[in-house]
Amino acid sequence: MISEKFENLIVKFLCGAITQKELEELEQWMAEEENQRIFQEYVRVNYALILGANDPDSSVIRAKLLEKIHGNQKPHSKRYTFALFLKYAALVILTLGLCYFLERELTNPSNTTAIVPEREAITLELETGEVVVIPENGSTRITTSNGTIIGRQQGQQLTYDQKSPGNQLQYNTLHVPFGRRFNLTLSDGTKVFLNAGSSLRYPREFLPGRSREVSLEGEAYFDVTHHQMPFEVLSTPVKVRVYGTQFNVSNYQEDPDTEVVLLKGSVGLSASQNNEENQMVVLKPGYKGAFNKSEHLIHTQRVDTTLFTSWIRGDMVFRNTSFENILKKLERQYNVTIVNNNTSLAKEHFNAIIATKDESIEQVLSYFKTLHDIQYSIVENKIVIN
């Protein structure tokens, strides 16, 4: 059984992120034959050519490792694009371009079939019911039918300016379809990052002396501007109350839990139908509050917050996640339909990182096929796993 320490050292070595001192520790650990066998298995699974994957003999691997140590080569930083789906405790990351084998698999026409995800438009629904299409990567002013400017779009960002609010709230609803992400700055300066398949209903301008209230379906990351009036996120069946903080809310209709993960500040989490303060659960930074929709109970636990916010940077990070849950998130991010007929695989758990901003769904599927012999076919743009 490999210890977590040396498992992490192997991961760092495969990623090109290991230090000189760590290399020396790894070399000493590999003096034992059993440890060489474990290391060889990691290399085999990762197809790491720089460690002799074409000839995965332990002596070749060991020689390469010693060469790195005695050559005093400085490790260099590489950009990670996809993590192998492995049942190890550590998160093993594959650097794109490291393995010609995978490149050959991805570029071989016989192994690829075109999948063209639908590209739906981001839309803004105004108070009047008028729907405005947000042009992709455009730069435009968002106006009402009478020409009043209510916001400005610059690329993937829509910004509202605080003007002189009237005495009545006027709501807009931003709809972000599957396969897309979009950012929003509210009139009070609060920044909102909306994930794929999400909608946010919010006032064009907040009224003085009244709480700042928005409604969310799907997933969003909030960086709330501090203000004396509270900021509330209604995401049925949950209400989140804050004053100035950073947190992530995930509430897709098909998910069993509504999850709130706090990065900074403090938030109160309660069932949306409950208004009594003593029934509100207060989260501390680094904690997740999960409201189970069937049990109507809130559970809290300390978590690695980066796992829940990596989507903002265009990555999907999974730790001990079921295959069926991974597929569900892939459907949202790529706006594709995936049918899994492999029921025994559905409950299997994996670790992974997928760089959705760089990886196409074809590449992701090719990794599945290459590393786990998962067979799939494409029928009218629908992915069927056999």
Side-chain angles (χ1 to χ4, degrees):
M1 176 69 71
I2 183 173
S3 69
E4 183 176 354
K5 174 184 177 181
F6 287 101
E7 194 168 47
N8 288 334
L9 289 182
I10 294 175
V11 171
K12 285 186 175 183
F13 182 75
L14 294 176
C15 297
I18 195 169
T19 66
Q20 187 71 23
K21 183 178 179 180
E22 290 170 338
L23 275 171
E24 293 171 356
E25 288 185 72
L26 186 58
E27 193 275 333
Q28 292 175 4
W29 175 80
M30 285 183 61
E32 296 185 19
E33 184 176 350
E34 175 61 17
N35 292 342
Q36 293 180 26
R37 186 195 64 77
I38 294 173
F39 187 82
Q40 178 181 336
E41 177 65 11
Y42 270 86
V43 173
R44 184 191 66 78
V45 175
N46 281 275
Y47 299 105
L49 292 181
I50 60 170
L51 303 181
N54 283 330
D55 182 15
D57 181 84
S58 61
S59 60
V60 175
I61 297 169
R62 182 181 174 83
K64 193 69 178 181
L65 180 58
L66 288 171
E67 178 184 337
K68 272 184 168 287
I69 294 173
H70 299 311
N72 196 28
Q73 297 181 7
K74 295 183 179 180
H76 55 281
S77 173
K78 293 186 179 181
R79 188 173 180 276
Y80 306 146
T81 59
F82 189 88
L84 304 180
F85 292 77
L86 300 177
K87 300 172 189 175
Y88 296 109
L91 191 64
V92 182
I93 300 178
L94 172 70
T95 304
L96 186 65
L98 179 65
C99 310
Y100 84 93
F101 175 81
L102 288 181
E103 181 179 359
R104 181 184 62 195
E105 286 293 305
L106 296 178
T107 55
N108 187 341
S110 64
N111 291 329
T112 59
T113 304
I115 304 171
V116 185
E118 294 183 13
R119 194 69 172 172
E120 299 177 24
I122 297 171
T123 59
L124 180 67
E125 183 179 349
L126 307 182
E127 178 81 13
T128 59
E130 178 186 357
V131 176
V132 178
V133 174
I134 305 295
E136 187 169 2
N137 297 318
S139 177
T140 185
R141 295 177 177 180
I142 308 299
T143 62
T144 63
S145 56
N146 61 10
T148 302
I149 299 174
I150 60 175
R152 292 174 172 80
Q153 179 214 356
Q154 184 66 46
Q156 297 297 306
Q157 177 77 37
L158 177 60
T159 302
Y160 285 75
D161 297 323
Q162 180 71 55
K163 300 177 182 177
S164 299
N167 55 10
Q168 187 175 358
L169 292 172
Q170 298 186 58
Y171 284 89
N172 288 176
T173 303
L174 184 63
H175 299 279
V176 180
F178 287 154
R180 307 287 297 276
R181 292 188 301 273
F182 200 73
N183 306 331
L184 173 69
T185 300
L186 301 176
S187 62
D188 66 341
T190 292
K191 297 184 184 339
V192 186
F193 301 80
L194 285 166
N195 204 353
S198 302
S199 297
L200 186 74
R201 183 176 183 266
Y202 54 91
R204 281 168 41 184
E205 298 174 77
F206 295 106
L207 298 183
R210 295 181 57 175
S211 62
R212 300 167 290 168
E213 185 177 292
V214 301
S215 298
L216 170 71
E217 295 180 9
E219 184 170 21
Y221 174 85
F222 293 85
D223 186 351
V224 178
T225 298
H226 184 77
H227 194 277
Q228 61 180 357
M229 300 308 299
F231 189 97
E232 294 183 345
V233 180
L234 300 181
S235 191
T236 305
V238 164
K239 177 172 67 176
V240 183
R241 170 175 279 208
V242 304
Y243 287 87
T245 189
Q246 297 172 12
F247 60 99
N248 193 83
V249 180
S250 180
N251 185 27
Y252 289 99
Q253 186 175 5
E254 63 272 22
D255 288 346
D257 295 335
T258 298
E259 297 180 339
V260 179
V261 176
L262 180 63
L263 282 76
K264 182 180 179 181
S266 178
V267 304
L269 176 65
S270 66
S272 56
Q273 63 268 26
N274 281 334
N275 295 316
E276 298 181 25
E277 294 295 331
N278 60 1
Q279 295 180 324
M280 181 173 288
V281 175
V282 177
L283 295 181
K284 296 178 181 179
Y287 277 80
K288 177 185 76 172
F291 179 89
N292 187 275
K293 297 174 184 177
S294 59
E295 297 177 354
H296 300 283
L297 295 175
I298 297 175
H299 304 277
T300 63
Q301 67 178 111
R302 179 177 287 277
V303 296
D304 179 357
T305 59
T306 59
L307 300 181
F308 300 88
T309 59
S310 60
W311 64 266
I312 300 172
R313 302 183 299 275
D315 294 327
M316 298 174 66
V317 180
F318 302 108
R319 291 282 180 88
N320 195 30
T321 306
S322 68
F323 185 64
E324 62 180 353
N325 196 5
I326 291 173
L327 294 183
K328 185 188 303 180
K329 292 181 182 295
L330 287 176
E331 286 185 314
R332 294 172 187 159
Q333 292 298 323
Y334 288 100
N335 195 20
V336 295
T337 300
I338 304 176
V339 177
N340 180 28
N341 292 326
N342 192 334
T343 55
S344 61
L345 187 63
K347 301 302 180 182
E348 295 260 3
H349 285 69
F350 300 95
N351 296 324
I353 293 179
I354 302 172
T356 57
K357 59 184 179 296
D358 298 315
E359 302 285 348
S360 68
I361 188 63
E362 290 95 337
Q363 289 174 310
V364 175
L365 291 172
S366 293
Y367 288 128
F368 270 104
K369 181 177 180 180
T370 301
L371 300 174
H372 293 283
D373 195 28
I374 295 174
Q375 303 300 317
Y376 66 91
S377 58
I378 298 170
V379 180
E380 296 180 352
N381 230 33
K382 179 185 295 183
I383 301 163
V384 180
I385 297 177
N386 304 312

